[in-house]
Amino acid sequence: MQPKLLSSTMSRRTFLKAAAATTAAIGASALPFGAQAQGKAKYRRLNVLNPEAKRAIESYKRAIARMLKLPPEDPRNWYRIALTHTMDCPHGNWWFLVWHRGYIGWFEQICRELSGDPQFALPYWDWTENTDPNSPFQARVPAVMFDDVLTPAHPAYIANSREFQNRFRGVIAKADYWKRICGPNGEFDDETQYGQLLARGIRSPEDLWFDMLNDPRGRFFFDLKQARGATREKPELDGKTTKAVSLQTLLDALAPRDFLTFASPKTLGHSALTGFGVLEGQPHNRVHNCVGGIFTDPKGNTTNNGGFMQANLSPVDPLFFLHHANIDRLWDVWTRKQLARGYPALPEGVDFDAWSREPFLFFVDAKGKPVKKRTAGDYATIGDFNYDYEPGSGEEVVAPPMFASLMSTAVPSESTRAQISRSVVSGEQAASAIVTLPSPLLGLRAKAEAPRLYAKITLALPPLAHHHDFAVMVDDGNSRTDPSSPHYVGTLSMFGHHTIQAPVTFTVPLSGTIEAMRQNAQLTASGALNIRIVSERMVKPGVLTATHGHGAEPKAEVLSIVVEAH
């Protein structure tokens, strides 16, 4: 039996039945690639760099301009849409992908309505392709995203936090968010908007305003001059972010064969943070923070110059939606790869039941009315949104039939736990651990269809951890945390403000680093790898760091490091 590729217009029920039938028929055997072509969707999301995307870009401008002028009482107002993300968005858990699919899917329909363009489809920003070969920092913000209202520094946006508060304080206070709805027996119903807000520690409008404007870890709202960190004159992303969006990292992100490794770990509710898969933890988090002004220069100094993209009001920046369209595109690529090989494309069994029932209660439609699709399962597929994507970076993992024989590559079943020699990382002191890989694992090479190696690093972080970044190195302790180094794996980055209530697990790819060390004859015959976790300092303008006797250094404890093949 040969599976069908996921059609963008396929219903969730049809998709699940097809996936179940394929799994039952194929079992654990390798699946031939004779897959049926993807059905044609009504709308196509184009790469923003494609000249054919000009119409969509102009329509996007018109829609933004209309939304900025809508009264605060209209749920389609630009800032009201951004507040949905502030109040409800999941990060660091297995609902990250599916919630954002629903969010940008309904946003796309609002743009279609307000732009007057019935064919509008949101462009996507392929960070991996958008590079400048003449620049030391290759990845860059598309030039068109500095035009007109496509930048949040345009005067059509609210100028400062005082004006923002004056316009929206009354509307937020009177919104339905705060209704305390009870069940038939008088018990509090936590599957309400207010219940979802309470799960995030937001008890009242004043709590929300504190988070947005007064949180000492940093505000969510930025004045025009600090609305975006990247500028037309300096559109490049830093070296670590360029590494995070490289094709190598994308292929590592797309390689896992189960949903939880590809996505982020599971939790009991979408307000909790438990860890990051490669896709969320590397390109997603790094791009958000770097565009938002958290930039690491070639000497390793990190500065924070502000910007919406680094915080929970990030959708105020129109680039947010192009960034997340690319994340969604990569989920679609991974899904089609899974179905072509007969692998599961969603959580399975009781996991799927729990995942699909999670309530998403804040979305509104093109008319500003609450939507009827109110659970994660409603967005498990693209479904009624009826779009597909112009092919972009990473598409090669959905391989044609000629590569079918490569699918038989066995994945070694071992997972190898590192021995931690120093667990605490703080200031100049790095945490360190040694992991000795069995020959089958160490022998894996970073080829297209070969299994890839990942380190799952579990950290205990301070409760108010925010932009505390940690570089991961495989070396003898003498290498700089330079992304051009063969010893550099990646940087562990948080996005947004979170109260950390439990250890957080970051998954980072190891295959590229191990292959670079192999080519430089730096691997030991014993198979032992020394993994270091190094704190990265934040240099705020006008504030001295701990190196000079002031400020606070990021601190964490490494609880475990486990190396796995997928």
Side-chain angles (χ1 to χ4, degrees), residues 6-12 14 38-43 381-388:
L6 175 63
S7 167
S8 295
T9 58
M10 185 184 291
S11 71
R12 171 176 170 267
T14 302
Q38 183 174 0
K40 183 174 177 61
K42 184 175 181 179
Y43 307 101
T381 68
I382 291 170
D384 292 341
F385 288 139
N386 205 0
Y387 61 79
D388 64 9

mmCIF file of all heavy atoms in Angstrom, residues 6-12 14 38-43 381-388:
data_model
loop_
_atom_site.group_PDB
_atom_site.id
_atom_site.type_symbol
_atom_site.label_atom_id
_atom_site.label_comp_id
_atom_site.label_asym_id
_atom_site.label_seq_id
_atom_site.Cartn_x
_atom_site.Cartn_y
_atom_site.Cartn_z
ATOM 1 N N LEU A 6 -0.384 14.511 2.390
ATOM 2 C CA LEU A 6 -1.417 15.325 3.005
ATOM 3 C C LEU A 6 -1.820 16.458 2.089
ATOM 4 O O LEU A 6 -1.028 17.318 1.761
ATOM 5 C CB LEU A 6 -0.912 15.894 4.331
ATOM 6 C CG LEU A 6 -1.853 16.871 5.041
ATOM 7 C CD1 LEU A 6 -3.142 16.155 5.414
ATOM 8 C CD2 LEU A 6 -1.180 17.444 6.261
ATOM 9 N N SER A 7 -3.051 16.486 1.676
ATOM 10 C CA SER A 7 -3.575 17.608 0.909
ATOM 11 C C SER A 7 -3.887 18.746 1.842
ATOM 12 O O SER A 7 -4.373 18.553 2.957
ATOM 13 C CB SER A 7 -4.847 17.191 0.178
ATOM 14 O OG SER A 7 -5.516 18.322 -0.320
ATOM 15 N N SER A 8 -3.591 19.992 1.418
ATOM 16 C CA SER A 8 -3.886 21.142 2.251
ATOM 17 C C SER A 8 -5.370 21.256 2.536
ATOM 18 O O SER A 8 -5.776 21.860 3.526
ATOM 19 C CB SER A 8 -3.398 22.415 1.562
ATOM 20 O OG SER A 8 -2.009 22.406 1.443
ATOM 21 N N THR A 9 -6.208 20.705 1.670
ATOM 22 C CA THR A 9 -7.650 20.827 1.855
ATOM 23 C C THR A 9 -8.254 19.591 2.501
ATOM 24 O O THR A 9 -9.452 19.516 2.704
ATOM 25 C CB THR A 9 -8.342 21.080 0.502
ATOM 26 O OG1 THR A 9 -8.024 20.018 -0.381
ATOM 27 C CG2 THR A 9 -7.875 22.391 -0.099
ATOM 28 N N MET A 10 -7.453 18.609 2.826
ATOM 29 C CA MET A 10 -7.965 17.383 3.433
ATOM 30 C C MET A 10 -8.526 17.692 4.814
ATOM 31 O O MET A 10 -7.918 18.396 5.605
ATOM 32 C CB MET A 10 -6.835 16.357 3.557
ATOM 33 C CG MET A 10 -7.294 14.993 4.078
ATOM 34 S SD MET A 10 -5.898 13.872 4.307
ATOM 35 C CE MET A 10 -5.410 13.572 2.624
ATOM 36 N N SER A 11 -9.673 17.162 5.133
ATOM 37 C CA SER A 11 -10.263 17.400 6.438
ATOM 38 C C SER A 11 -9.485 16.655 7.500
ATOM 39 O O SER A 11 -8.791 15.674 7.228
ATOM 40 C CB SER A 11 -11.718 16.943 6.460
ATOM 41 O OG SER A 11 -11.783 15.524 6.437
ATOM 42 N N ARG A 12 -9.627 17.099 8.746
ATOM 43 C CA ARG A 12 -8.934 16.447 9.850
ATOM 44 C C ARG A 12 -9.367 14.989 9.962
ATOM 45 O O ARG A 12 -8.551 14.096 10.152
ATOM 46 C CB ARG A 12 -9.237 17.206 11.146
ATOM 47 C CG ARG A 12 -8.749 16.505 12.402
ATOM 48 C CD ARG A 12 -9.024 17.391 13.617
ATOM 49 N NE ARG A 12 -8.776 16.650 14.830
ATOM 50 C CZ ARG A 12 -9.725 15.968 15.491
ATOM 51 N NH1 ARG A 12 -10.942 15.936 15.033
ATOM 52 N NH2 ARG A 12 -9.428 15.323 16.602
ATOM 53 N N THR A 14 -10.610 12.971 7.628
ATOM 54 C CA THR A 14 -10.073 12.187 6.519
ATOM 55 C C THR A 14 -8.593 11.907 6.726
ATOM 56 O O THR A 14 -8.097 10.802 6.498
ATOM 57 C CB THR A 14 -10.295 12.923 5.192
ATOM 58 O OG1 THR A 14 -11.693 13.150 5.027
ATOM 59 C CG2 THR A 14 -9.768 12.113 4.021
ATOM 60 N N GLN A 38 0.292 16.306 -3.956
ATOM 61 C CA GLN A 38 -0.509 17.113 -3.055
ATOM 62 C C GLN A 38 -1.627 17.822 -3.826
ATOM 63 O O GLN A 38 -1.430 18.346 -4.906
ATOM 64 C CB GLN A 38 0.384 18.155 -2.375
ATOM 65 C CG GLN A 38 -0.345 19.008 -1.354
ATOM 66 C CD GLN A 38 0.619 19.907 -0.619
ATOM 67 O OE1 GLN A 38 1.806 19.878 -0.892
ATOM 68 N NE2 GLN A 38 0.123 20.703 0.300
ATOM 69 N N GLY A 39 -2.855 17.822 -3.263
ATOM 70 C CA GLY A 39 -3.973 18.503 -3.896
ATOM 71 C C GLY A 39 -3.758 20.001 -3.953
ATOM 72 O O GLY A 39 -3.105 20.576 -3.099
ATOM 73 N N LYS A 40 -4.351 20.632 -4.951
ATOM 74 C CA LYS A 40 -4.188 22.070 -5.130
ATOM 75 C C LYS A 40 -5.084 22.807 -4.163
ATOM 76 O O LYS A 40 -6.291 22.583 -4.118
ATOM 77 C CB LYS A 40 -4.506 22.460 -6.570
ATOM 78 C CG LYS A 40 -4.284 23.937 -6.868
ATOM 79 C CD LYS A 40 -4.481 24.216 -8.343
ATOM 80 C CE LYS A 40 -4.337 25.699 -8.646
ATOM 81 N NZ LYS A 40 -2.999 26.190 -8.288
ATOM 82 N N ALA A 41 -4.506 23.706 -3.390
ATOM 83 C CA ALA A 41 -5.267 24.496 -2.429
ATOM 84 C C ALA A 41 -5.796 25.767 -3.096
ATOM 85 O O ALA A 41 -5.327 26.185 -4.156
ATOM 86 C CB ALA A 41 -4.378 24.864 -1.241
ATOM 87 N N LYS A 42 -6.745 26.403 -2.449
ATOM 88 C CA LYS A 42 -7.331 27.623 -2.996
ATOM 89 C C LYS A 42 -6.369 28.796 -2.884
ATOM 90 O O LYS A 42 -6.337 29.688 -3.731
ATOM 91 C CB LYS A 42 -8.638 27.937 -2.272
ATOM 92 C CG LYS A 42 -9.377 29.142 -2.839
ATOM 93 C CD LYS A 42 -10.736 29.332 -2.170
ATOM 94 C CE LYS A 42 -11.467 30.530 -2.763
ATOM 95 N NZ LYS A 42 -12.801 30.722 -2.133
ATOM 96 N N TYR A 43 -5.573 28.813 -1.821
ATOM 97 C CA TYR A 43 -4.648 29.925 -1.575
ATOM 98 C C TYR A 43 -3.226 29.384 -1.481
ATOM 99 O O TYR A 43 -3.005 28.307 -0.933
ATOM 100 C CB TYR A 43 -5.001 30.646 -0.268
ATOM 101 C CG TYR A 43 -6.440 31.081 -0.187
ATOM 102 C CD1 TYR A 43 -7.360 30.335 0.553
ATOM 103 C CD2 TYR A 43 -6.894 32.211 -0.863
ATOM 104 C CE1 TYR A 43 -8.686 30.718 0.633
ATOM 105 C CE2 TYR A 43 -8.224 32.600 -0.788
ATOM 106 C CZ TYR A 43 -9.116 31.848 -0.039
ATOM 107 O OH TYR A 43 -10.430 32.224 0.026
ATOM 108 N N THR A 381 -4.697 19.759 11.069
ATOM 109 C CA THR A 381 -4.330 19.878 9.671
ATOM 110 C C THR A 381 -4.682 21.282 9.201
ATOM 111 O O THR A 381 -5.382 22.032 9.884
ATOM 112 C CB THR A 381 -5.084 18.858 8.791
ATOM 113 O OG1 THR A 381 -6.476 19.208 8.759
ATOM 114 C CG2 THR A 381 -4.926 17.455 9.324
ATOM 115 N N ILE A 382 -4.218 21.639 8.011
ATOM 116 C CA ILE A 382 -4.520 22.955 7.443
ATOM 117 C C ILE A 382 -6.015 23.083 7.175
ATOM 118 O O ILE A 382 -6.602 24.149 7.388
ATOM 119 C CB ILE A 382 -3.705 23.167 6.156
ATOM 120 C CG1 ILE A 382 -2.218 23.308 6.518
ATOM 121 C CG2 ILE A 382 -4.186 24.399 5.397
ATOM 122 C CD1 ILE A 382 -1.293 23.291 5.314
ATOM 123 N N GLY A 383 -6.649 22.017 6.760
ATOM 124 C CA GLY A 383 -8.093 21.934 6.682
ATOM 125 C C GLY A 383 -8.761 23.069 5.942
ATOM 126 O O GLY A 383 -8.388 23.421 4.822
ATOM 127 N N ASP A 384 -9.778 23.674 6.573
ATOM 128 C CA ASP A 384 -10.599 24.683 5.917
ATOM 129 C C ASP A 384 -9.863 25.992 5.643
ATOM 130 O O ASP A 384 -10.376 26.834 4.908
ATOM 131 C CB ASP A 384 -11.842 24.984 6.758
ATOM 132 C CG ASP A 384 -12.804 23.810 6.803
ATOM 133 O OD1 ASP A 384 -12.701 22.940 5.918
ATOM 134 O OD2 ASP A 384 -13.648 23.757 7.722
ATOM 135 N N PHE A 385 -8.691 26.186 6.223
ATOM 136 C CA PHE A 385 -7.910 27.366 5.857
ATOM 137 C C PHE A 385 -7.502 27.299 4.379
ATOM 138 O O PHE A 385 -7.256 28.323 3.748
ATOM 139 C CB PHE A 385 -6.677 27.516 6.741
ATOM 140 C CG PHE A 385 -6.989 27.939 8.156
ATOM 141 C CD1 PHE A 385 -6.322 27.363 9.222
ATOM 142 C CD2 PHE A 385 -7.927 28.916 8.421
ATOM 143 C CE1 PHE A 385 -6.579 27.753 10.535
ATOM 144 C CE2 PHE A 385 -8.204 29.313 9.727
ATOM 145 C CZ PHE A 385 -7.526 28.725 10.788
ATOM 146 N N ASN A 386 -7.335 26.076 3.877
ATOM 147 C CA ASN A 386 -7.254 25.835 2.430
ATOM 148 C C ASN A 386 -6.083 26.543 1.751
ATOM 149 O O ASN A 386 -6.226 27.142 0.696
ATOM 150 C CB ASN A 386 -8.574 26.258 1.760
ATOM 151 C CG ASN A 386 -8.805 25.520 0.444
ATOM 152 O OD1 ASN A 386 -7.998 24.692 0.028
ATOM 153 N ND2 ASN A 386 -9.904 25.835 -0.215
ATOM 154 N N TYR A 387 -4.910 26.501 2.378
ATOM 155 C CA TYR A 387 -3.716 27.079 1.760
ATOM 156 C C TYR A 387 -2.653 26.003 1.610
ATOM 157 O O TYR A 387 -2.701 24.949 2.250
ATOM 158 C CB TYR A 387 -3.165 28.237 2.606
ATOM 159 C CG TYR A 387 -2.736 27.855 4.003
ATOM 160 C CD1 TYR A 387 -1.510 27.230 4.249
ATOM 161 C CD2 TYR A 387 -3.556 28.122 5.110
ATOM 162 C CE1 TYR A 387 -1.117 26.869 5.528
ATOM 163 C CE2 TYR A 387 -3.179 27.764 6.396
ATOM 164 C CZ TYR A 387 -1.961 27.141 6.601
ATOM 165 O OH TYR A 387 -1.577 26.765 7.872
ATOM 166 N N ASP A 388 -1.696 26.274 0.727
ATOM 167 C CA ASP A 388 -0.469 25.505 0.702
ATOM 168 C C ASP A 388 0.687 26.478 0.542
ATOM 169 O O ASP A 388 0.493 27.696 0.576
ATOM 170 C CB ASP A 388 -0.487 24.412 -0.377
ATOM 171 C CG ASP A 388 -0.579 24.975 -1.790
ATOM 172 O OD1 ASP A 388 -0.466 26.216 -1.969
ATOM 173 O OD2 ASP A 388 -0.757 24.182 -2.732
#
